[in-house]
Structures are given as C-alpha cells and as structure tokens.
Amino acid sequence: MAAVRTAGIEYFALNFSRRMSHDVHSIHFHGQAPNERVELLIRRHWTTIARDTFLFAIGLVVPIPVYFYLSRALEIDFSGESAVSIILILLAGLYYLYVWLFYFHQWIDSYLDVWIVTNKRLVDIEQNGLFSRRISELNLSKIQDVTSEVKGKLQTFLDYGNLLVQTAGEQTQFEFEGVGKPDMVAKALMQLHDEAIRQEAHPLPPSQTQTAP
Amino acid sequence: MSIPLYVFLGLYGVGLAIYLVLSFFNLYHAFRFGIKDTMTGLVITTYLVVTVVILVATSAFILSVDWAQTWQPFELPELNISL
C-alpha cells in the first residue's frame, strides 16, 4: 500500500500541477465518505490546454499589428482625444476582457475533468462546457482490466495517452483521455484494485478504520 | 450625421455586463466543482487580478473622456441646386 501511495503522490507531483504538488491525502471532494482516502488525483495532460493557450497568445498579439496599421496607414490618432480613438480604445478593452474570459473558460473545462481514485472507488468527473457535468463512480473491486494507450510520436515523446478501465458494473468501460504517464497510473489502479479486493475479503475492525481528517 | 459618444459608452456597458455575467458563471463552476487545491486558487486569483487591472485601466480612460462630444462617421456632400 505504501508503494501505491508513493506512486500516487509521485504521479500527482508529475502531472499538470507539478509545482503545486502536495499530499493527495489532504485533498477532499464533494461526496467523500468519512473513511475514504484519496489515493490518486488524475487530471488531463497539459497538452490538452496547449491548443487553447496558443490561441490565447495569438489573441493577445493580434491587436498589435492592427494598431500599427490603423495608426500609420490610416493615420488614426490613438491619443484618446478624437472620437475614433475613443471608440477603438473601448473596443480594445472589451476585446481583451473577452479573450481573457475565453481562456479562463477553456482552462476550467479542461481542469474540471478529473479522476479521483480513493481507497474504495473511482470517481470520473467530466465537465462539458459550463452547464453539463457527468459524474460516474466505480467500486475498485469491480475493475476487471486496465489498459493504457500511447499513440503517435507526440504522445510517445511527452509520455501521455489514454486509460481504459473495463468493469463488471453497469457502465462497462471508463475512458480517460490525455493522461500523463498512463502506464504508471494503470499499475497504481490495479494495485488499488487488489487492495480493495483484500479489504472486502478481510475487512478491518471499526477501531482500525482510517478516517479522513 | 453625428452620433454622441455616450451611445458607444452604453454599448460598452452592455458588453461589460455580459462579460461580468459570464465571468460569474465560470467562477461559480470553479468554486463549486473544482478541487480545492493550490492551482485552482492561483488560477482564480490570477483571473480576478487581470480582470480588475483591465477594468481599472479602462475606467481611468473612461473618466478622462468628454462623452458629450459627437462622432461624425461620414459627411454628406453639400448639394448646390440653383433654380
């Protein structure tokens, strides 16, 4: 179990929040049971937000050539005294606000997709836009198979891919795309599954049950 | 034809109101559904700080403008008709 916890903490330290790493056991989520302990917190790889980051950077830069064109070719004065310059400055203020909002929204959409693996279950939280959210839960003992996929040059070099979990539950397959170090996560999941099976076969007495702080 | 500049200030206000509503929804989701970790707090704080900076800069500009002035987008040619 210590190896699993180490793997979990090491994984958390290596994911998107690598510089913000801290003990995963201190993480609490809505719906967590009193005797439930977070072992893994899996987020999407940073490449999933890379495209939006690139678009955001372009959005920041686009007004600059527009400014030079308007001020030099069309000789528009941007001192804020002429009516045209006042209108353009207002437009620029709104433009940068919305570009910033767009990036924040995309980050939330990506960052709120998370797999929380506790000592008892796997919680799959998928955010689709702002007003659509799907939460699926799976008892760890019902995991039958875990497959990690790494396809293509980019995924190979950056070591990220997809995780597929086959289950014996109502939902037969859980899939998480864009996971960093998927082979390590798959191994950690199977270890947690084995531990959950052992605990179901030999439950601990209530006095030895570890409770969440 | 001349358009008073406060019309554009009103349009800016509408755009700003929409932005604030959308920001509220995004922040609500981040607080409500986000895992309470350092990264989430940092991103939310950064978002609010940058928003405030842009709004303060724009507000300082708005306060310095005489909104009663008008804008003439185009001038109609004078017609000289002699009968």
Side-chain angles (χ1 to χ4, degrees):
Chain A
M1 199 56 188
V4 172
R5 288 182 194 153
T6 302
I9 292 170
E10 182 188 354
Y11 175 80
F12 185 81
L14 289 170
N15 75 358
F16 184 61
S17 306
R18 60 187 303 163
R19 287 186 175 81
M20 310 298 167
S21 66
H22 53 275
D23 189 357
V24 290
H25 303 311
S26 66
I27 294 172
H28 299 282
F29 62 97
H30 180 69
Q32 183 175 354
N35 60 346
E36 197 170 12
R37 187 178 61 245
V38 176
E39 296 290 350
L40 291 175
L41 182 68
I42 304 168
R43 295 196 192 278
R44 297 206 187 276
H45 196 257
W46 61 264
T47 49
T48 57
I49 195 77
R51 183 187 69 100
D52 297 317
T53 304
F54 178 69
L55 290 174
F56 172 66
I58 289 181
L60 288 180
V61 168
V62 156
I64 297 174
V66 172
Y67 163 78
F68 280 112
Y69 173 74
L70 291 176
S71 63
R72 296 196 178 163
L74 299 183
E75 295 181 344
I76 292 177
D77 171 32
F78 278 92
S79 62
E81 292 178 358
S82 67
V84 172
S85 67
I86 292 169
I87 293 167
L88 288 173
I89 291 171
L90 279 185
L91 269 177
L94 267 184
Y95 170 81
Y96 276 111
L97 282 174
Y98 277 93
V99 164
W100 184 230
L101 176 66
F102 159 78
Y103 187 60
F104 183 57
H105 172 77
Q106 295 301 106
W107 181 86
I108 285 178
D109 200 16
S110 172
Y111 202 66
L112 291 187
D113 289 345
V114 63
W115 268 15
I116 302 172
V117 184
T118 71
N119 55 326
K120 293 182 183 302
R121 56 184 170 145
L122 183 155
V123 182
D124 174 13
I125 302 172
E126 190 171 331
Q127 188 83 24
N128 292 315
L130 282 186
F131 302 104
S132 174
R133 184 176 173 83
R134 190 191 70 175
I135 301 175
S136 306
E137 292 184 16
L138 165 69
N139 278 334
L140 288 180
S141 58
K142 288 195 164 46
I143 292 177
Q144 291 183 324
D145 179 61
V146 180
T147 305
S148 66
E149 282 181 337
V150 176
K151 294 181 191 174
K153 300 182 189 62
L154 190 64
Q155 290 191 357
T156 302
F157 282 123
L158 297 178
D159 195 11
Y160 75 97
N162 304 332
L163 269 179
L164 294 100
V165 175
Q166 294 285 345
T167 82
E170 187 175 324
Q171 184 173 339
T172 57
Q173 185 171 295
F174 281 67
E175 185 172 359
F176 200 71
E177 296 178 349
V179 178
K181 299 190 179 300
D183 54 340
M184 198 171 96
V185 176
K187 193 183 296 184
L189 273 175
M190 288 311 296
Q191 287 176 338
L192 286 166
H193 160 73
D194 294 340
E195 183 65 26
I197 295 286
R198 268 197 296 276
Q199 284 194 359
E200 280 189 359
H202 306 287
L204 292 171
S207 59
Q208 293 186 21
T209 304
Q210 185 170 350
T211 57
Chain B
M1 172 185 165
S2 62
I3 305 171
L5 281 187
Y6 56 74
V7 170
F8 297 97
L9 183 62
L11 290 173
Y12 171 81
V14 170
L16 183 61
I18 294 171
Y19 169 82
L20 291 174
V21 169
L22 294 175
S23 287
F24 170 76
F25 285 137
N26 280 279
L27 288 168
Y28 169 81
H29 276 79
F31 277 113
R32 175 79 171 79
F33 301 115
I35 303 291
K36 307 294 186 286
D37 60 359
T38 309
M39 188 66 174
T40 305
L42 182 65
V43 170
I44 290 174
T45 303
T46 304
Y47 177 77
L48 290 173
V49 166
V50 172
T51 298
V52 166
V53 165
I54 296 175
L55 289 178
V56 166
T58 313
S59 300
F61 171 74
I62 288 172
L63 289 173
S64 68
V65 172
D66 175 19
W67 294 101
Q69 61 180 302
T70 59
W71 177 48
Q72 292 184 326
F74 54 87
E75 291 186 14
L76 294 175
E78 290 185 7
L79 298 177
N80 292 319
I81 302 175
S82 60
L83 297 175

